[in-house]
Amino acid sequence: MNDSLPDTYNGRAIATAYLGFGSFGILGGELALAFVFGTPVASALAIAKGLFFVVVSSAFVGLLVNRKNRRIEAQQASVRASLRQLENVVSASPVPILAVTPDERVTRWNEAATDIFGWSKAEVLGKPLPTVSTDRQIEIKRLLRQSISEGGISNVEVELKNREGAVREFLLSTALIRDESGAVSELVGVLVDTTEQKQRERRLREYEMAIDQAGHAIYLTTKTGEITYVNPAFEQITGYSRSEAIGATPKILNSGEMDTSYYEDLWTAIQSGETWQERIVDQRKGGELYTAIQTIAPIHQDDEIQGFVAIQSDITDSEVVRQRLGVLNRMFRHNLRNRMNVIGGYAQMVRDETDDEGIYADAENIVTASKELVALSKKAQTVAEVLEGDGTTKELTEIIEYSTTKVSASYPDSRVVVDVPADISARVDSRVSVAVCELLTNALEHGGETVHVDVSRSPRDEGRVVVRVSDDGPGLPEGEWLAIERGRETPLEHGTGMGLWLIYWVVTKAGGSTRLDETPLGGASIEIELPVEGAAKATRCDTDPVGANRSTKT
């Protein structure tokens, strides 16, 4: 940028020169006239008067020049002050401001440019504009050419890399500085960093897409309850279009099934800044009722509630399934078990009183089948109690010891080998004991004579332990485990009982996972991986001289 200012004049030199030339003109003129034309020389008085006029004129000229100089100096001071102010503004600007020559040499570089791009002023002044890749250099050349050809550009979106190579987004505006001949001497660029703004805009677009594509009904209201937005799922679930819902209130969904106290409690909670989550029965536009889990939360801005966001999850179908399962479970646990006890009792009486071998065999089959159904009913009751209740934590070693002792008592001819490393001390969900008992029962009943129970740390997560139950029997039928992996049974692929499902449900409820694996014993091997409460101990101080592992044979 050309910062040159107009120069002042030397008043004394100009006045002296004027005096010299004036005096020389008067004296020289008189002598020249006398010599050339022979005219008499003017009197001394006349010459003195002429010289006096020259002296006075010279003084006046000096005064005028000094006055002009003072004006120039005032202009210079004003321009310098303006330049200093401009420099201060450029330096203190929160946005990067820089200037380059047409050949891309940097002439100005403020502190904000250093903060954003990483290069200091001393590193860039007089040097080519710094870049970190060839493609950015090509982009800069194009922008310079565009600025020169268009006389400057305004709010052009650009991406530039800083010294570390991180890409940031800017709005670039440029202006041209020309020299006395009108040629472009510098290009001044102002870069407004929009990186964070663009990121926020992208996040907002992502949020909008997520809300629009969510499978739950979502709507926003003002703090007085007027609906301002609904997503497509709201339209699908409730039957109300966006145009019908916006401007209305959630009363359009009122089914009349909920007590007045429900809505009073709801409003009290959300207006006090709390989040409300409860089951609700609402009504679709067509008049059908539907059941939903509704969550309503206040939207805060500057600690003030601006409105509310509501999310509804339609659970109508799952509610019907839950009710149906509840009824079937009750019938299975109570009605069927009571009737089978009666049938088994009568069959046992027939068996004990008959002399006919055929009738005896049939009665024995009925007794066995009734006992199996009663046992299945008890297992269903165990499933309900375990899954519906809350678990506590218990030492895994105690769970395994209890389960092993309990199950082994029913299979005195079999052997259970337990291997728990001494450095494992873990508390897990106490409900897991039901799953361990079931694993042992299945292994002892359908496997071979020996069952192994091995405990180890999870190779994937130090905060989890693995319990592996292996047998040397024929293994599981193929369809048994396929149903567990798929999460449902089919008419062709299903289990023969409830045991594996019981194990899977209990372990899943405890936050664990279940896996079927191969075993060198030749039978089945099922692993359950369980989360450990808190941090598991790395070592356990024990005076027992037994080595790192402890084995138990039952």
Side-chain angles (χ1 to χ4, degrees):
M1 190 178 294
N2 187 2
D3 295 341
S4 61
L5 300 172
D7 294 329
T8 57
Y9 304 97
N10 191 330
R12 180 176 295 180
I14 293 175
T16 302
Y18 186 85
L19 177 61
F21 282 114
S23 300
F24 179 78
I26 292 175
L27 295 176
E30 286 296 330
L31 292 175
L33 288 174
F35 180 76
V36 175
F37 299 103
T39 59
V41 177
S43 64
L45 180 60
I47 292 173
K49 288 180 179 180
L51 292 174
F52 178 74
F53 177 78
V54 170
V55 171
V56 173
S57 299
S58 297
F60 184 69
V61 168
L63 290 174
L64 290 177
V65 171
N66 287 335
R67 184 177 180 184
K68 179 67 174 178
N69 283 341
R70 285 193 294 271
R71 291 179 179 176
I72 292 174
E73 289 172 352
Q75 289 179 345
Q76 289 176 334
S78 177
V79 170
R80 290 192 183 95
S82 297
L83 288 175
R84 284 195 298 271
Q85 291 177 354
L86 179 59
E87 289 290 349
N88 291 336
V89 169
V90 171
S91 178
S93 172
V95 299
I97 299 176
L98 52 96
V100 297
T101 58
D103 61 352
E104 301 178 34
R105 294 197 173 273
V106 179
T107 56
R108 295 191 182 274
W109 185 271
N110 70 347
E111 291 298 325
T114 297
D115 294 338
I116 293 294
F117 295 106
W119 289 283
S120 67
K121 184 186 293 186
E123 291 178 297
V124 299
L125 285 182
K127 300 176 183 178
L129 194 64
T131 54
V132 292
S133 60
T134 305
D135 58 330
R136 303 293 168 183
Q137 187 69 28
I138 295 173
E139 176 70 8
I140 289 172
K141 289 181 180 294
R142 185 188 67 79
L143 291 171
L144 289 176
R145 289 195 301 269
Q146 181 182 352
S147 297
I148 294 173
S149 63
E150 297 179 5
I153 56 179
S154 178
N155 292 332
V156 175
E157 293 186 353
V158 296
E159 291 184 353
L160 299 174
K161 288 184 178 180
N162 62 16
R163 191 169 197 162
E164 286 72 32
V167 177
R168 300 192 70 82
E169 300 175 79
F170 301 91
L171 286 179
L172 171 64
S173 298
T174 63
L176 306 182
I177 303 297
R178 300 181 184 274
D179 57 20
E180 291 81 357
S181 65
V184 176
S185 59
E186 289 178 289
L187 296 91
V188 179
V190 178
L191 292 156
V192 179
D193 193 345
T194 60
T195 307
E196 283 73 22
Q197 177 185 340
K198 293 291 184 181
Q199 290 174 347
R200 287 194 296 270
E201 290 175 355
R202 283 191 285 269
R203 284 197 296 269
L204 285 174
R205 286 194 294 270
E206 291 172 356
Y207 293 154
E208 290 175 358
M209 292 175 59
I211 292 174
D212 283 344
Q213 298 176 22
H216 304 294
I218 300 174
Y219 62 94
L220 305 178
T221 74
T222 64
K223 58 183 179 182
T224 59
E226 181 180 333
I227 297 175
T228 58
Y229 167 85
V230 299
N231 71 338
F234 178 94
E235 298 178 279
Q236 181 180 0
I237 291 174
T238 67
Y240 288 97
S241 67
R242 179 170 300 187
S243 59
E244 291 173 319
I246 292 179
T249 68
K251 289 182 179 179
I252 59 175
L253 305 176
N254 194 329
S255 64
E257 295 291 319
M258 312 305 295
D259 295 336
T260 303
S261 60
Y262 175 92
Y263 297 103
E264 291 175 350
D265 293 342
L266 185 158
W267 274 105
T268 299
I270 62 177
Q271 287 179 333
S272 64
E274 298 177 4
T275 297
W276 172 271
Q277 183 172 14
E278 288 290 344
R279 174 180 170 277
I280 189 172
V281 178
D282 272 343
Q283 181 172 293
R284 310 184 204 272
K285 181 181 178 181
E288 305 95 340
L289 301 182
Y290 70 96
T291 305
I293 295 296
Q294 179 170 254
T295 302
I296 303 177
I299 301 172
H300 291 93
Q301 184 176 5
D302 298 330
D303 297 329
E304 291 187 6
I305 295 177
Q306 302 297 318
F308 303 98
V309 55
I311 303 174
Q312 282 195 348
S313 301
D314 189 349
I315 60 168
T316 306
D317 293 340
S318 60
E319 186 82 351
V320 172
V321 171
R322 186 186 65 81
Q323 293 170 352
R324 184 177 62 191
L325 289 176
V327 173
L328 292 176
N329 186 44
R330 175 184 56 79
M331 294 179 65
F332 191 66
R333 288 160 54 187
H334 299 288
N335 301 50
L336 180 62
R337 184 176 62 186
N338 293 339
R339 297 294 177 87
M340 290 311 303
N341 282 329
V342 172
I343 293 173
Y346 280 116
Q348 189 171 352
M349 289 174 58
V350 171
R351 181 198 61 185
D352 294 342
E353 294 177 1
T354 184
D355 296 328
D356 189 304
E357 293 184 359
I359 295 176
Y360 182 92
D362 292 337
E364 179 64 22
N365 289 334
I366 294 174
V367 170
T368 302
S370 64
K371 288 181 178 180
E372 290 176 351
L373 285 175
V374 170
L376 189 62
S377 175
K378 290 180 178 179
K379 188 171 293 186
Q381 183 174 356
T382 300
V383 169
E385 292 174 350
V386 170
L387 298 183
E388 292 173 5
D390 295 326
T392 58
T393 59
K394 192 174 183 179
E395 280 290 336
L396 179 60
T397 53
E398 296 180 16
I399 291 176
I400 293 177
E401 182 178 355
Y402 164 79
S403 303
T404 302
T405 303
K406 177 182 178 182
V407 176
S408 296
S410 301
Y411 301 91
D413 297 331
S414 298
R415 187 175 66 138
V416 178
V417 179
V418 178
D419 189 3
V420 182
D423 64 343
I424 292 183
S425 177
R427 295 186 68 85
V428 299
D429 194 314
S430 60
R431 292 173 293 189
V432 171
S433 62
V434 175
V436 175
C437 284
E438 188 64 29
L439 281 171
L440 291 172
T441 300
N442 284 341
L444 291 172
E445 184 172 347
H446 304 291
E449 295 181 353
T450 302
V451 174
H452 288 261
V453 180
D454 300 292
V455 178
S456 62
R457 296 193 185 279
S458 170
R460 296 181 295 273
D461 187 345
E462 293 183 356
R464 300 168 77 88
V465 293
V466 176
V467 179
R468 180 186 179 102
V469 178
S470 309
D471 62 59
D472 55 357
L476 286 173
E478 183 178 356
E480 291 274 353
W481 193 257
L482 286 177
I484 300 296
E485 287 185 328
R486 189 171 45 246
R488 61 185 177 86
E489 295 187 347
T490 67
L492 297 179
E493 294 180 345
H494 56 80
T496 56
M498 193 182 294
L500 289 178
W501 281 113
L502 171 60
I503 296 166
Y504 175 78
W505 288 333
V506 171
V507 172
T508 301
K509 185 74 172 179
S513 59
T514 312
R515 187 167 69 94
L516 177 66
D517 199 4
E518 297 180 352
T519 171
L521 300 177
S525 177
I526 296 180
E527 287 185 359
I528 59 175
E529 186 172 298
L530 304 167
V532 177
E533 180 190 47
K537 297 180 182 178
T539 59
R540 184 177 69 183
C541 296
D542 201 331
T543 56
D544 189 344
V546 177
N549 295 334
R550 177 176 301 172
S551 297
T552 303
K553 182 172 72 173
T554 303

